[in-house]
């Protein structure tokens, strides 16, 4: 398990999971808690409908949940966290090797939400081990705001409210 960060640059680990079976998402959550510690925020189940990109691999009627973890982490651990979640996706894959759950780690600071990915693009920075990062949401004028490259699901009002709520928790935690 990752220990609580006592350094001044500790950030809030936020992991989004989606798949077709909520019990599998709960199983993944258990694995994540064993690695990263207790969850202190869990979103309701959200419909994942803004893309059909994952439909062939994971099926229809996908659901997403977001989890935030009590233990703060140094931001430089993000690539290691993404490598771990990639391995967990493989561990939970179906017999044919298809993913049954997608696990997207990121971190939240007072100014932004940073999402880890294995996909390079013009606005993403390489970190290490094949992992890139992007600022997915920026905090301005009292709320998180999408960027021009933000995935459509993260632009939804419901998602923004979740990240604003997690930010309030984080702000209290570091005060």
């Amino acid at each position: 398990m990752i220990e609580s960060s006592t350094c001044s640059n500790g950030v809030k680990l936020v992991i989004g999971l989606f798949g077709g079976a909520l019990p599998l998402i709960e199983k993944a959550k258990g694995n994540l808690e064993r690695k990263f510690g207790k969850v202190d925020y869990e979103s309701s189940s959200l419909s994942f409908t803004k893309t059909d990109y994952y439909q062939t691999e994971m099926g229809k009627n996908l659901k997403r949940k977001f989890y935030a973890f009590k233990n703060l982490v140094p931001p430089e651990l993000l690539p290691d966290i993404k490598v771990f979640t990639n391995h967990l996706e493989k561990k939970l894959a179906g017999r044919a090797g298809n993913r049954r759950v997608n696990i997207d780690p990121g971190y939240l600071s007072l100014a932004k939400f940073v999402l880890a990915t294995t996909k390079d693009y013009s606005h993403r920075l390489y970190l290490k081990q094949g992992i890139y990062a992007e600022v997915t949401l920026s905090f301005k004028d009292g709320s998180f705001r999408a960027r021009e490259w933000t995935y459509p699901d993260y632009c939804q009002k419901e998602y923004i409210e979740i990240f604003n709520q997690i930010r309030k928790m984080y702000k209290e935690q570091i005060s």
Side-chain angles (χ1 to χ4, degrees):
M1 178 171 28
I2 292 179
E3 296 298 319
S4 286
S5 174
T6 55
C7 59
S8 61
N9 69 340
V11 292
K12 192 83 167 163
L13 176 61
V14 180
I15 300 180
L17 291 92
F18 67 86
L22 287 176
L24 191 59
I25 290 173
E26 289 299 316
K27 183 175 182 177
K29 174 192 170 194
N31 280 274
L32 295 169
E33 282 189 304
R34 281 189 288 284
K35 180 72 173 175
F36 304 117
K38 185 180 178 197
V39 164
D40 63 358
Y41 176 87
E42 180 175 337
S43 75
S44 60
S45 178
L46 307 160
S47 293
F48 185 79
T49 59
K50 293 293 181 183
T51 181
D52 59 3
Y53 178 83
Y54 299 92
Q55 199 170 6
T56 302
E57 182 178 24
M58 301 176 77
K60 296 181 180 183
N61 302 317
L62 300 177
K63 300 290 184 189
R64 171 178 260 157
K65 290 185 101 171
F66 286 101
Y67 300 97
F69 293 80
K70 183 177 181 178
N71 292 344
L72 301 181
V73 298
E76 62 268 19
L77 287 184
L78 185 60
D80 299 317
I81 292 168
K82 180 64 174 169
V83 168
F84 172 80
T85 61
N86 287 349
H87 288 299
L88 182 55
E89 286 179 357
K90 289 176 185 169
K91 178 181 169 184
L92 299 173
R95 290 187 188 133
N98 60 305
R99 283 186 298 177
R100 298 186 305 157
V101 64
N102 181 288
I103 308 171
D104 293 323
Y107 69 75
L108 183 142
S109 70
L110 292 178
K112 62 192 168 288
F113 174 67
V114 176
L115 191 61
T117 180
T118 58
K119 300 173 191 99
D120 188 15
Y121 206 70
S122 60
H123 62 280
R124 295 180 178 151
L125 299 175
Y126 184 76
L127 301 176
K128 67 178 185 177
Q129 297 178 285
I131 306 301
Y132 299 82
E134 72 173 34
V135 176
T136 298
L137 301 170
S138 299
F139 194 81
K140 184 178 178 188
D141 298 328
S143 182
F144 277 105
R145 309 234 181 248
R147 308 294 303 245
E148 66 184 78
W149 52 76
T150 301
Y151 290 118
D153 50 336
Y154 283 86
C155 297
Q156 296 176 96
K157 181 181 176 185
E158 192 172 21
Y159 282 44
I160 298 292
E161 289 172 359
I162 287 168
F163 285 95
N164 285 336
Q165 189 173 356
I166 295 170
R167 184 184 182 276
K168 285 180 189 175
M169 293 172 60
Y170 173 65
K171 188 174 183 179
E172 289 175 14
Q173 190 173 4
I174 62 172
S175 296

